[in-house]
Amino acid sequence: MTAEQSADTRPAAAPVPNQPVLDQPVPNQPVLDQPVLDHRPGRWIANWDAENKEQWESQGRSIARRNLNWSIFAEFLGFVVWQLWSIVVVQLPAAGFTFTTSEIFWLISMPSLVGATLRIPYTFMVPRFGGRNWTIVSALLLLIPSIGLALCVANPETPFGTMLFVAALAGLGGGNFASSMANITFFYPAREKGWALGLNAAGGNLGAAVAQLAVPIAITLLAAGTVNLPMAGLMWVPLILLAAFGAWKYMDNLTSAKGDVAGSLAALKEPHLWIMALLYIGTFGSFIGFAGVFPKLIKDYFPAFSSIGVGTVALSLAFLGPLVGSLARPYGGRMADRMGGARMTVAAFAAMAVITLTMIWTLPLKNFWLFLGLFLLLFTASGFGNGATYRMIPIIFATSSRAAKAGASTVTTQRLASSALGLISAIGAYGGFVIPQVLNASNSASGSYTPAFYGFVGAYVLMLTVCWACYIRNANRNALGHV
């Protein structure tokens, strides 16, 4: 027998006890590319990786959906509180208050000023404290402006300064949008993030419509011909407590949620951030700004339609504006996917300019239903514009930013886009302050809102031109395709 044959016929060496064969899976031990979620005290979750399809399908999707549902509810209440003063101010004269028109506009616009400013720090609260923990805190903070409003409007002798301070506290509701969107960003994979963020945003925006529908009914129900203004704030207290409880009971914190201050500072240096912020002031700023002043405009132009009696309650049709604008937003994003965000944004601004001009020219007809119909079209166009501009941002930063042109990695451009989304949403919200103040200045200077509306038309034409010049003309010239 040859040596080779002898070697081949030797019995195989016995494996070392307790030592697994390397090419065989070890029972009950996770495979390295499928991280197992680690649930820690305080509802913290470690090893979260939404991009891991196996983890996402087995556990991640249901957890993310649960967190999204409660995030929408909490953000919805944030928008409700943010818009409360826009509804209450038109009822103040009936409750015995004697504020001037200028003071009324300050009460409308102050929540937007504070809310837009708070969106910047709120963006970084989720990485600092955890998404669940901050949702609990931010929901409970809504109790302050809600109860504060009830106390202020109960006494017609309340000084204007006190009223303005409490109105400013309503801005806490506006800040919720930024932290809510930042939190949901960490839960969803890139392939589903757009739809999840769209639902989160639309659900929050609906709070403005629901507030304008429900508050007039609540303050006149069983009020025997008067108004029970404190109920405008108190009616939301049980729902706020429910949102805080739901966040405590059902939401989660992610250890992987990290803040990106460096990314935010880098995004501020990108010219595209400021261009898109201008466009977002025109779309979302118009939505939130007109949502705030719409009840006031109806009362000033058509006082007989300010509230419509239905049995023992009064109904305001102002809620229809933010309702159609909120519902249009997701479809604006979807149409932007087909047409291109820049084209959709240009179309939205063109529609907003034409609709506003038509509204100005038809005001002498004194037809409320025509006025209402045109404003609903204006809200719809702004909603489409919201979805389109928001869709443009990540694409612009991935293809046209300075970092992208310098050859930066996909991870770097994604960080910039994520930071830009938060900053642009904050800057755009200042439109909610600008629009009431422009209308106030126009009325103070000329006794009419018409000059302000002509100014808005000019702004829409300017923004249309900027969008076309930066994102359509250059794309045609350089064959880059449309964003």
Side-chain angles (χ1 to χ4, degrees):
M1 180 181 293
T2 65
E4 290 80 358
Q5 288 174 322
S6 177
D8 290 339
T9 57
R10 285 199 303 264
V16 179
N18 301 321
Q19 180 172 325
V21 180
L22 294 180
D23 61 354
Q24 297 295 323
V26 181
N28 302 321
Q29 183 169 324
V31 181
L32 293 180
D33 63 353
Q34 299 171 11
V36 175
L37 296 181
D38 180 12
H39 295 267
R40 299 177 180 177
R43 296 191 67 92
W44 285 90
I45 298 178
N47 302 327
W48 182 269
D49 182 8
E51 300 299 338
N52 185 297
K53 291 187 177 180
E54 210 162 313
Q55 183 193 97
W56 175 252
E57 295 298 338
S58 62
Q59 302 178 70
R61 184 187 298 278
S62 62
I63 293 173
R65 185 69 185 188
R66 186 179 68 243
N67 279 268
L68 174 62
N69 290 339
W70 284 101
S71 174
I72 290 174
F73 184 50
E75 188 198 338
F76 164 85
L77 291 172
F79 265 84
V80 164
V81 172
W82 201 21
Q83 289 297 298
L84 282 181
W85 283 89
S86 70
I87 313 149
V88 168
V89 293
V90 299
Q91 303 291 343
L92 290 178
F97 291 86
T98 57
F99 295 136
T100 66
T101 299
S102 179
E103 289 172 332
I104 292 293
F105 273 113
W106 272 103
L107 291 175
I108 292 173
S109 60
M110 184 56 73
S112 289
L113 177 63
V114 175
T117 305
L118 285 178
R119 284 188 172 193
I120 298 172
Y122 266 50
T123 301
F124 301 101
M125 293 300 164
V126 170
R128 178 67 180 85
F129 299 104
R132 164 188 177 262
N133 296 345
W134 183 249
T135 302
I136 297 170
V137 172
S138 61
L140 291 175
L141 285 174
L142 299 178
L143 293 172
I144 300 174
S146 300
I147 297 173
L149 182 148
L151 295 175
C152 284
V153 300
N155 181 11
E157 301 300 320
T158 304
F160 172 72
T162 303
M163 299 279 280
L164 188 64
F165 175 73
V166 175
L169 292 176
L172 291 167
N176 280 13
F177 178 86
S179 57
S180 179
M181 295 290 275
N183 184 40
I184 295 306
T185 297
F186 295 118
F187 274 97
Y188 277 82
R191 62 187 179 277
E192 298 187 30
K193 195 168 293 186
W195 181 243
L197 292 176
L199 287 176
N200 200 49
N205 290 356
L206 279 172
V210 172
Q212 293 189 358
L213 170 64
V215 168
I217 296 174
I219 63 177
T220 55
L221 188 65
L222 304 178
T226 61
V227 289
N228 183 11
L229 275 186
M231 187 56 66
L234 296 177
M235 64 184 289
W236 305 107
V237 170
L239 294 177
I240 292 170
L241 293 175
L242 176 62
F245 172 78
W248 172 78
K249 181 74 173 175
Y250 299 108
M251 291 187 72
D252 302 287
N253 303 303
L254 298 180
T255 60
S256 58
K258 303 297 182 183
D260 193 6
V261 177
S264 297
L265 294 175
L268 286 171
K269 299 176 184 177
E270 288 283 351
H272 288 288
L273 180 139
W274 300 104
I275 296 171
M276 290 307 302
L278 173 66
L279 300 182
Y280 201 58
I281 288 174
T283 56
F284 179 76
S286 292
F287 168 82
I288 199 65
F290 284 128
V293 300
F294 198 29
K296 171 69 171 167
L297 292 176
I298 292 176
K299 186 175 181 64
D300 288 350
Y301 280 124
F302 302 95
F305 292 91
S306 180
S307 61
I308 299 174
V310 181
T312 60
V313 302
L315 178 67
S316 171
L317 296 181
F319 82 94
L320 292 172
L323 175 64
V324 298
S326 300
L327 295 177
R329 179 169 183 153
Y331 293 100
R334 184 166 294 180
M335 290 182 68
D337 288 335
R338 299 177 181 178
M339 296 173 53
R343 287 177 175 172
M344 192 64 207
T345 301
V346 165
F349 281 131
M352 292 166 73
V354 170
I355 293 165
T356 305
L357 277 176
T358 306
M359 188 270 295
I360 295 171
W361 294 338
T362 57
L363 274 175
L365 299 177
K366 297 182 179 180
N367 186 317
F368 169 73
W369 300 107
L370 180 59
F371 175 83
L372 177 65
L374 289 170
F375 246 100
L376 294 186
L377 290 175
L378 181 60
F379 273 105
T380 302
S382 70
F384 277 117
N386 285 341
T389 51
Y390 222 67
R391 181 261 188 194
M392 289 170 65
I393 297 167
I395 298 175
I396 289 170
F397 275 80
T399 60
S400 304
S401 63
R402 287 177 175 176
K405 291 179 178 178
S409 66
T410 302
V411 173
T412 299
T413 58
Q414 286 177 345
R415 284 179 57 205
L416 286 174
S418 177
S419 299
L421 284 169
L423 292 168
I424 290 169
S425 77
I427 297 170
Y430 282 108
F433 174 78
V434 171
I435 284 181
Q437 287 303 315
V438 170
L439 288 166
N440 180 28
S442 174
N443 185 64
S444 299
S446 67
S448 170
Y449 298 132
T450 300
F453 283 115
Y454 277 118
F456 298 147
V457 172
Y460 297 147
V461 172
L462 172 63
M463 294 170 185
L464 180 157
T465 304
V466 168
C467 185
W468 173 81
C470 294
Y471 301 119
I472 295 181
R473 183 187 63 174
N474 284 342
N476 287 336
R477 223 178 243 180
N478 302 318
L480 294 177
H482 297 302
V483 297

